[in-house]
């Protein structure tokens, strides 16, 4: 079977490629990635030479090139990770989010219709459900929770989800969607909370925390997300949405303090900065459906996962130190410099 993975040079996509090549060595993986600031070919170094792996640098919005690739590879499945994924950037520049996350998804699905496909899988996010109040720990997002987005990022992801379901209903495209909570683990771009805090801690730089740091997220180790997607594409039912989450809610400030403790650094490094516009308070996923129907459960608990992640960033400094340079420095100054 040939699996086309978009966005495979990014955080979750690369982890998914490693997982698939290990778990299903009989399959061929084709990775399509534009290599935006968030994509890094060096991440895929270990698999680039494998005979059952191919990397193609291309934009998912580029219709002719996408069709050409489908013509060449005739993929049996598409697992669509490629996206603009950072909420802060979507507040600065919404346009590229609409282009990649919505139009790019449409191009891929048009290619699937034209060339035929066994399964198209859309990797979505819990952010499409909006947020929950902090004082109602009994409330969780289920697959039936109405879409209620806050940021241009989550709106573009919700728009893509609606389009995916429309292609299923209108054209009979065999689709599935997964909506996952916050991921952490190896190869996450250092603009996201956990790697940013680890990198700053190691450099004894201030740790910028939005507002009072009370915002709560449900954290899942990236490999558990990859395992869930692997199950959905092979055993999940067409036309279904599956929530994926770790039942591991933590306030941002507690994560930051935990990282400081693990790295033996003082809490005085914490610097509170002006909150993000429209910042969601709490996300919490109910993963009962995927557990009930596909037998999925998270395997890496947070206490173990965060230790593994910190160790990975300690062992792979070269990977992220190269990234924290040049253009990223300018972006960092713009985001946190005047807050
Ligand atoms: N990170 C999380 O916690 C999380 C949680 C739930 C869902 N998701 C979703 O999972 C997916 C992957 O997230 P991530 O954190 O790995 O993102 P990422 O930003 O690390 O990687 C995105 C990848 O997509 C590529 N890309 C971007 N625009 C492209 C385009 N136009 N054409 C081709 N490639 C393009 C980038 O080069 C990069 O390699 C996204 O769809 C995101 O919405 C992420």
């Amino acid at each position: 079977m040939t699996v086309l993975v978009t966005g495979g040079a990014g955080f979750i996509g690369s982890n998914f490629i490693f997982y698939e090549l290990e778990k299903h060595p009989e399959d061929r993986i084709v990775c399509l990635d534009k290599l935006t600031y968030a994509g890094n070919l060096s991440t895929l170094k270990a698999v680039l030479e494998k005979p059952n792996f191919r990397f193609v640098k291309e934009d998912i919005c580029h219709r002719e090139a996408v069709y050409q690739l489908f013509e060449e590879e005739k993929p049996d499945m598409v697992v669509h990770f490629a996206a603009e994924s950072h909420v802060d950037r979507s507040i600065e520049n919404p346009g590229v989010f609409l282009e990649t996350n919505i139009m790019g998804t449409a191009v891929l699905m048009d290619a699937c219709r034209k060339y035929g496909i066994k399964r198209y899988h859309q990797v979505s996010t819990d952010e499409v459900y909006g947020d929950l109040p902090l004082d109602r720990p009994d409330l969780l997002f289920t697959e039936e929770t109405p879409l209620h987005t806050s940021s241009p990022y989550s709106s573009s992801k919700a728009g893509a989800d609606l389009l995916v379901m429309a292609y299923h209903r209108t054209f009979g495209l065999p689709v599935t969607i997964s909506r996952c909570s916050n991921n952490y683990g190896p190869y996450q771009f250092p603009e996201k909370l956990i790697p940013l805090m680890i990198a700053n801690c190691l450099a004894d730089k201030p740790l910028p925390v939005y507002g009072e740091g009370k915002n709560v997220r449900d954290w899942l180790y990236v490999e558990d997300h990859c395992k869930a997607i692997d199950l959905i594409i092979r055993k999940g039912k067409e036309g279904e949405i599956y929530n994926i989450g770790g039942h591991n809610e933590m306030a941002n400030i507690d994560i930051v303090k935990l990282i400081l403790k693990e790295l033996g650094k003082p809490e005085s490094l914490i610097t509170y900065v002006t909150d993000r516009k429209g910042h969601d308070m709490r996300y919490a996923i109910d993963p009962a459906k995927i557990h009930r129907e596909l037998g999925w459960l998270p395997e890496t608990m947070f206490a173990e996962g965060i230790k593994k992640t910190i160790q990975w960033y300690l062992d792979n400094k070269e990977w992220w130190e190269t990234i924290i340079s040049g253009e990223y420095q300018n972006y960092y100054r713009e985001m946190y410099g005047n807050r």
Side-chain angles (χ1 to χ4, degrees):
M1 189 161 71
T2 298
V3 184
L4 177 65
V5 177
T6 69
F11 166 45
I12 310 175
S14 60
N15 278 282
F16 180 74
I17 288 173
F18 301 145
Y19 181 76
E20 287 294 290
L21 286 170
E22 180 84 25
K23 179 101 196 283
H24 306 284
E26 69 286 0
D27 286 351
R28 173 173 168 76
I29 304 277
V30 178
C31 170
L32 186 161
D33 197 299
K34 184 183 175 184
L35 296 181
T36 65
Y37 79 93
N40 199 332
L41 197 53
S42 75
T43 301
L44 295 171
K45 193 166 67 203
V47 299
L48 280 177
E49 299 302 323
K50 278 190 178 273
N52 58 342
F53 179 76
R54 177 183 173 196
F55 179 81
V56 179
K57 181 178 183 308
E58 193 47 81
D59 187 335
I60 53 165
C61 301
H62 189 179
R63 190 174 288 272
E64 289 79 43
V66 170
Y67 285 8
Q68 173 69 35
L69 185 62
F70 270 70
E71 188 92 49
E72 284 167 26
E73 293 288 351
K74 309 252 173 345
D76 300 284
M77 285 194 192
V78 171
V79 185
H80 179 34
F81 291 93
E84 288 292 335
S85 70
H86 193 42
V87 176
D88 287 341
R89 287 181 189 254
S90 81
I91 295 167
E92 295 302 307
N93 178 16
V96 65
F97 283 71
L98 308 185
E99 193 60 38
T100 287
N101 298 1
I102 301 179
M103 293 310 295
T105 298
V107 168
L108 281 171
M109 289 193 298
D110 285 340
C112 290
R113 285 181 59 210
K114 186 170 159 71
Y115 293 95
I117 196 90
K118 291 200 183 91
R119 178 62 61 83
Y120 170 90
H121 182 72
Q122 178 76 7
V123 181
S124 187
T125 164
D126 60 356
E127 299 197 28
V128 298
Y129 297 123
D131 69 348
L132 296 164
L134 286 180
D135 60 356
R136 288 292 307 274
D138 55 314
L139 295 180
L140 301 169
F141 298 133
T142 72
E143 289 80 359
E144 275 72 48
T145 302
L147 302 183
H148 185 77
T149 58
S150 312
S151 69
Y153 163 67
S154 55
S155 304
S156 67
K157 293 295 290 185
D161 284 10
L162 291 172
L163 205 58
V164 170
M165 294 315 281
Y167 271 58
H168 174 64
R169 171 141 185 191
T170 309
F171 305 118
L173 198 71
V175 306
T176 39
I177 297 180
S178 54
R179 294 181 177 148
C180 189
S181 56
N182 274 35
N183 284 215
Y184 68 101
Y187 296 110
Q188 187 166 29
F189 193 83
E191 69 186 347
K192 303 282 170 76
L193 183 78
I194 290 181
L196 174 69
M197 296 303 157
I198 297 173
N200 281 17
C201 239
L202 291 174
D204 291 311
K205 275 171 63 177
L207 308 190
V209 172
Y210 280 135
E212 295 173 57
K214 288 189 178 151
N215 308 65
V216 168
R217 301 290 180 262
D218 175 15
W219 292 91
L220 184 71
Y221 192 61
V222 63
E223 195 181 40
D224 280 324
H225 186 186
C226 296
K227 286 179 183 169
I229 294 175
D230 182 62
L231 272 175
I232 295 169
I233 59 175
R234 288 162 204 276
K235 302 205 174 117
K237 247 174 73 192
E238 273 175 40
E240 292 290 317
I241 296 169
Y242 296 90
N243 280 355
I244 309 170
H247 272 312
N248 179 63
E249 289 181 46
M250 288 190 70
N252 288 349
I253 188 67
D254 293 332
I255 300 233
V256 173
K257 288 183 178 168
L258 202 150
I259 292 170
L260 282 163
K261 192 162 163 239
E262 284 292 327
L263 290 171
K265 301 284 179 172
E267 289 190 8
S268 55
L269 283 178
I270 297 172
T271 312
Y272 294 96
V273 298
T274 316
D275 209 352
R276 167 191 283 167
K277 291 179 192 134
H279 204 174
D280 286 337
M281 277 322 293
R282 173 175 165 253
Y283 303 139
I285 277 277
D286 177 0
K289 177 176 172 180
I290 187 168
H291 174 55
R292 194 175 57 242
E293 295 186 10
L294 304 179
W296 177 87
L297 274 178
E299 290 167 29
T300 301
M301 294 302 108
F302 190 76
E304 180 199 346
I306 192 73
K307 279 199 169 76
K308 281 210 280 198
T309 304
I310 292 175
Q311 194 55 49
W312 187 88
Y313 279 87
L314 286 170
D315 295 342
N316 293 274
K317 274 192 177 167
E318 205 191 317
W319 182 85
W320 54 269
E321 277 177 351
T322 318
I323 291 172
I324 306 180
S325 61
E327 208 181 308
Y328 178 67
Q329 281 300 339
N330 298 333
Y331 164 79
Y332 191 89
R333 264 194 300 278
E334 265 171 42
M335 283 320 297
Y336 300 109
N338 303 317
R339 285 174 187 252

